[in-house]
């Protein structure tokens, strides 16, 4: 008589399933044991924490150091389900009010200066600085003596004798009148060398919804994010209000000492900090202002208003907040809450960053459309600003007049038009573009591609 065989005999898939079930059971048992041990340790350490809090008055000097050790022990003892609740020492609230610590763990950047003046970094900075400008006169002069120029920059940075060159100022009128200060090409190479080292490190400290002068961000990504938020709130049955604001004369109002203090809080490398201080103090008037034309100014501008970003996200707890340089919007269903936030933001900017909000700060329902990042944004669609359309019509008429006189280059005109079309294609502008370019003719041919 043949004895009964297990069901798994001759069934490898069933055997594999049983082995997996056994492994899962053992893993779950071990996890329960670990959780039980952690809960036990946590309960014992809570008793120690209570005793430490009661004894704080008797030994205030040693309280902070004991709290730091206790904080680490408490966090390691937390159950997995409670890991997200950070245990803070008893002095945390007082230090936050005094501005002694910032949001999250304070990590400082060290030993940056050798990376900045390394020859490979300086050469790569030259390649970046000449991009799309390699036939400009100052670039050609620099390239003609490339080896000597790069060695000179390397030597000046290594010996800390580099000084910023003379600024050249000029006025631009698009999109509005601004004074731009430009440095010689040699100094632009140095700025690229600096930014290539410190920008990736600072970029990790920025919030996700800061969209100016950052890789993978920009105006189109910001407009897409606003649209996504409006649609999400609509699905939740919420009709949001919008707080739209910007900083008055931002670049001209950046306070040098406040910016240097922010940089010093993150950069532990003194030689790097000295170089940045010389660049900051080499521009502006009366201890204020950073030049619009500098590459480092874009980074400094983001670092400076990152303080506002952290305040809005961590203190005000505003979920739908987005900033592009000195312009920002906040969405919220409660209009009164937005009024309170506007006052708190204005107070923070004045007291901490010595900035002021522009008089054009507005609070309105989102159904009116949000005029932001070059578009008028609704939940269902997106349009161009009326000013953008008006300016383009004026340019087209000017192109026709210049080309008929023989002043305009066909390639330059086409590049300008294609640039505007690339921007307009991110809005609902198909019929608008058809109407605008239907009658635009130069020398018997249409300048209209990619439609």
């Amino acid at each position: 008589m043949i004895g009964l065989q297990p069901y798994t005999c001759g069934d490898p898939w069933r055997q594999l399933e049983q082995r997996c079930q056994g492994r899962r059971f053992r893993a779950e048992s071990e996890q329960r044991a670990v959780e039980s041990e952690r809960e036990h340790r946590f309960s014992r350490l809570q008793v120690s924490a209570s005793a430490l809090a009661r004894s704080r008055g008797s030994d205030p000097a040693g309280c902070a150091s004991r709290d730091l050790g206790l904080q680490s022990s408490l966090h390691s003892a937390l159950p997995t389900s409670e890991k997200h609740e950070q245990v803070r020492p008893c002095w945390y609230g007082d230090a936050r009010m005094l501005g002694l610590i910032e949001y999250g763990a304070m990590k400082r950047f060290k030993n940056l200066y050798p990376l900045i003046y390394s020859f490979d970094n300086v050469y790569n900075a030259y390649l970046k600085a000449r991009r799309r400008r390699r036939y400009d006169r100052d670039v050609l002069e620099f390239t003609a003596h490339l080896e000597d120029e790069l060695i000179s920059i390397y030597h000046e940075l290594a010996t800390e004798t580099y000084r910023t060159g003379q600024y050249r100022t000029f006025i631009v009128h698009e999109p509005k009148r601004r004074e731009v200060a430009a440095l010689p090409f040699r100094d632009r190479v140095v700025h690229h060398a600096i930014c290539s080292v410190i920008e990736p490190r600072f970029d990790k400290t920025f919030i996700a919804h800061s969209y100016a002068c950052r890789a993978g961000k920009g105006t189109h990504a910001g407009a897409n994010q606003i649209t996504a938020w409006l649609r999400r709130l609509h699905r939740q049955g919420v009709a949001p209000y919008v707080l739209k604001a910007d900083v008055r004369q931002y670049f001209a109002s950046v306070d040098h000492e406040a910016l240097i203090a922010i940089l010093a809080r993150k950069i532990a490398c003194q030689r790097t900090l000295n170089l940045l201080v010389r660049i900051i103090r080499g521009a502006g008037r009366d201890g204020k202002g950073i030049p619009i034309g500098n590459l480092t100014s874009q980074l400094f501008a983001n670092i400076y208003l990152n303080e506002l970003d952290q305040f809005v996200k961590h203190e005000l707890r505003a979920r739908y907040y987005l900033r592009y340089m000195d312009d920002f919007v906040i969405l919220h269903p409660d209009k009164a809450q937005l009024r309170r936030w506007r006052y708190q933001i204005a107070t923070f900017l004045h007291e901490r960053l010595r900035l002021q909000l522009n008089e054009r700060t507005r609070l309105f329902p989102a159904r009116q459309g949000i005029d932001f990042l070059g578009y008028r944004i609704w939940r269902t669609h997106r349009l161009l600003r009326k000013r953008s359309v008006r300016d383009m019509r004026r340019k087209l008429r000017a192109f026709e007049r210049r080309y008929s006189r023989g002043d305009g280059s066909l390639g330059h005109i086409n590049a300008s038009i294609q640039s505007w079309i690339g921007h307009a294609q991110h809005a609902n502008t198909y019929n608008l573009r058809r109407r605008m370019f239907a009658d635009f003719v130069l020398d018997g041919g249409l300048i209209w591609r990619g439609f």
Side-chain angles (χ1 to χ4, degrees):
M1 181 178 178
I2 301 175
L4 295 177
Q5 297 293 329
Y7 174 75
T8 58
C9 182
D11 189 349
W13 296 107
R14 182 62 177 173
Q15 293 176 0
L16 179 61
E17 182 181 1
Q18 287 182 344
R19 286 198 299 270
C20 292
Q21 287 178 349
R23 290 174 181 172
R24 283 197 298 269
F25 178 77
R26 288 192 297 272
E28 290 172 358
S29 300
E30 294 174 358
Q31 182 65 26
R32 283 194 295 270
V34 171
E35 293 290 341
S36 176
E37 175 63 21
R38 283 179 174 168
E39 289 176 0
H40 179 64
R41 290 178 58 199
F42 184 65
S43 61
R44 286 189 290 124
L45 287 169
Q46 277 185 316
V47 175
S48 301
S50 301
L52 179 60
R54 289 193 298 269
S55 64
R56 181 181 181 183
S58 60
D59 186 15
C63 177
S65 60
R66 291 199 304 270
D67 277 356
L68 284 173
L70 179 61
Q71 181 190 18
S72 176
S73 301
L74 284 171
H75 191 267
S76 62
L78 278 173
T80 303
S81 60
E82 300 178 11
K83 277 281 187 181
H84 65 281
E85 297 180 1
Q86 183 182 7
V87 179
R88 293 169 173 169
C90 59
W91 48 267
Y92 186 90
D94 299 335
R96 168 64 61 80
M97 288 190 296
L98 293 173
L100 300 177
I101 56 178
E102 294 301 312
Y103 311 97
M106 174 58 70
K107 180 180 179 180
R108 303 187 71 196
F109 309 133
K110 304 177 181 179
N111 303 321
L112 301 180
Y113 202 71
L115 302 177
I116 293 174
Y117 72 76
S118 69
F119 194 84
D120 287 343
N121 186 53
V122 173
Y123 178 69
N124 289 330
Y126 155 73
L127 297 179
K128 294 177 182 178
R130 78 170 189 177
R131 194 174 298 164
R132 295 186 295 274
R133 295 177 177 271
R134 59 190 305 174
Y135 298 112
D136 291 357
R137 180 171 181 173
D138 55 348
V139 179
L140 291 174
E141 291 176 354
F142 187 94
T143 306
H145 307 89
L146 180 60
E147 185 176 352
D148 293 338
E149 293 285 0
L150 293 181
I151 292 175
S152 175
I153 291 174
Y154 168 84
H155 177 74
E156 291 181 19
L157 289 175
T159 58
E160 300 184 63
T161 57
Y162 167 77
R163 295 298 180 268
T164 301
Q166 186 69 34
Y167 282 93
R168 177 176 59 89
T169 61
F170 55 94
I171 304 296
V172 296
H173 298 276
E174 293 291 339
K176 61 183 180 181
R177 189 179 187 277
R178 299 176 187 269
E179 181 182 283
V180 178
L183 282 169
F185 180 75
R186 185 177 188 276
D187 296 279
R188 297 203 295 271
V189 172
V190 175
H191 286 212
H192 273 279
I194 295 171
C195 289
S196 65
V197 172
I198 68 174
E199 185 173 11
R201 291 163 171 81
F202 273 101
D203 190 79
K204 295 177 182 179
T205 68
F206 298 156
I207 65 171
H209 298 305
S210 172
Y211 283 84
C213 305
R214 298 179 65 192
K217 305 292 184 179
T219 56
H220 300 147
N224 292 339
Q225 184 61 64
I226 294 290
T227 303
W229 282 345
L230 291 173
R231 292 175 178 174
R232 180 189 302 175
L233 291 169
H234 176 75
R235 289 194 298 269
Q236 297 172 359
V238 174
Y241 288 87
V242 181
L243 172 61
K244 179 178 179 294
D246 67 288
V247 179
R248 179 192 300 171
Q249 297 181 352
Y250 176 49
F251 279 85
S253 302
V254 172
D255 186 84
H256 290 178
E257 298 308 317
L259 175 59
I260 292 170
I262 293 170
L263 293 172
R265 202 168 61 230
K266 292 295 294 182
I267 297 177
C269 179
Q270 190 60 46
R271 300 172 73 189
T272 302
L273 191 60
N274 293 340
L275 176 61
L276 299 180
V277 168
R278 287 196 295 270
I279 292 174
I280 293 170
R281 289 181 174 163
R285 302 180 183 91
D286 301 324
K288 285 183 176 291
I290 51 178
I292 294 178
N294 280 2
L295 180 67
T296 51
S297 296
Q298 300 174 6
L299 177 59
F300 292 155
N302 267 336
I303 293 172
Y304 201 65
L305 276 188
N306 182 55
E307 301 294 304
L308 173 64
D309 298 340
Q310 303 296 337
F311 172 75
V312 172
K313 298 297 289 186
H314 293 277
E315 294 294 337
L316 303 186
R317 300 284 182 176
R319 182 175 184 180
Y320 301 109
Y321 165 82
L322 185 147
R323 180 179 64 83
Y324 187 91
M325 198 51 74
D326 59 327
D327 299 308
F328 63 89
V329 296
I330 306 178
L331 309 182
H332 198 274
D334 188 354
K335 190 174 184 179
Q337 179 64 70
L338 287 176
R339 285 198 188 97
R340 290 191 292 269
W341 283 351
R342 178 171 60 182
Y343 173 77
Q344 291 174 291
I345 289 172
T347 303
F348 176 86
L349 288 174
H350 177 69
E351 294 180 352
R352 293 288 297 273
L353 302 179
R354 302 168 190 173
L355 300 172
Q356 293 182 348
L357 289 180
N358 201 305
E359 299 85 354
R360 296 192 299 269
T361 298
R362 295 180 55 213
L363 204 163
F364 55 93
R367 65 175 180 270
Q368 296 181 3
I370 305 173
D371 189 349
F372 192 57
L373 300 176
Y375 302 100
R376 291 176 290 155
I377 305 171
W378 286 266
R379 170 181 57 86
T380 55
H381 63 287
R382 186 185 308 167
L383 300 178
L384 287 179
R385 282 176 173 167
K386 294 181 180 180
R387 185 180 66 187
S388 175
V389 178
R390 185 172 61 249
D391 292 346
M392 192 59 197
R393 292 185 190 276
R394 187 183 302 116
K395 281 185 177 181
L396 292 180
R397 291 192 294 269
F399 288 154
E400 289 177 338
R401 292 192 300 268
R402 290 170 52 191
Y403 193 77
S404 64
R405 297 194 305 263
D407 296 339
S409 165
L410 188 63
H412 173 74
I413 294 173
N414 188 47
S416 179
I417 292 175
Q418 297 304 324
S419 174
W420 185 86
I421 290 177
H423 173 70
Q425 283 177 336
H426 287 266
N428 302 84
T429 58
Y430 180 80
N431 291 327
L432 170 67
R433 285 176 279 147
R434 285 184 64 89
R435 291 194 303 270
M436 287 185 65
F437 295 102
D439 300 326
F440 181 64
V441 180
L442 294 179
D443 197 23
L446 285 176
I447 308 300
W448 181 22
R449 301 175 186 172
F451 215 88

